[in-house]
Amino acid sequence: MERLLYYFPELNTNQLEAFRALKSLYEEANAKVNVISRKDMDQFYVHHVLHSLTLSAFVNWNANCQIRDIGTGGGFPVIRLAILMPQVRFIASHG
């Protein structure tokens, strides 16, 4: 979480709570289905959350954006982006 706050110091309380909750949700899901490598859970925020959020630096996100998730797997990167940018509409698609 420290690295997340370093790169995104403007996160509000709701966003921080959501990002904190993600790790335990993924640990619970990983106990049933291998969503991400279990060996990688110690680096969850660096390897999975921050990597997903790097897209936010390269795209002009605004309230009119609609982003469709076409099944990237495990909610990467859209779940993290939806927390970071609640003004953007993220749409899940299932094939």
Side-chain angles (χ1 to χ4, degrees):
M1 277 298 285
E2 297 83 29
R3 281 255 176 96
L4 182 62
L5 287 169
Y6 176 80
Y7 289 105
F8 297 93
E10 72 283 354
L11 294 173
N12 65 39
T13 303
N14 291 336
Q15 290 168 313
L16 288 172
E17 286 178 21
F19 281 123
R20 280 191 188 101
L22 275 181
K23 186 174 182 191
S24 63
L25 291 172
Y26 274 89
E27 287 172 332
E28 184 178 320
N30 258 5
K32 299 172 188 153
V33 177
N34 192 24
V35 180
I36 61 174
S37 172
R38 289 173 178 92
K39 295 182 281 184
D40 211 21
M41 286 306 295
D42 290 340
Q43 296 295 318
F44 178 76
Y45 290 102
V46 173
H47 292 174
H48 299 285
V49 175
L50 283 174
H51 283 191
S52 294
L53 297 180
T54 57
L55 289 172
S56 67
F58 300 102
V59 178
N60 182 17
W61 306 90
N62 63 55
N64 296 322
C65 287
Q66 291 187 22
I67 307 299
R68 184 171 301 273
D69 176 2
I70 56 171
T72 55
F76 296 96
V78 295
I79 291 174
R80 288 119 186 99
L81 291 169
I83 293 170
L84 181 66
M85 296 170 288
Q87 76 280 8
V88 175
R89 183 171 178 220
F90 290 91
I91 305 163
S93 295
H94 303 289

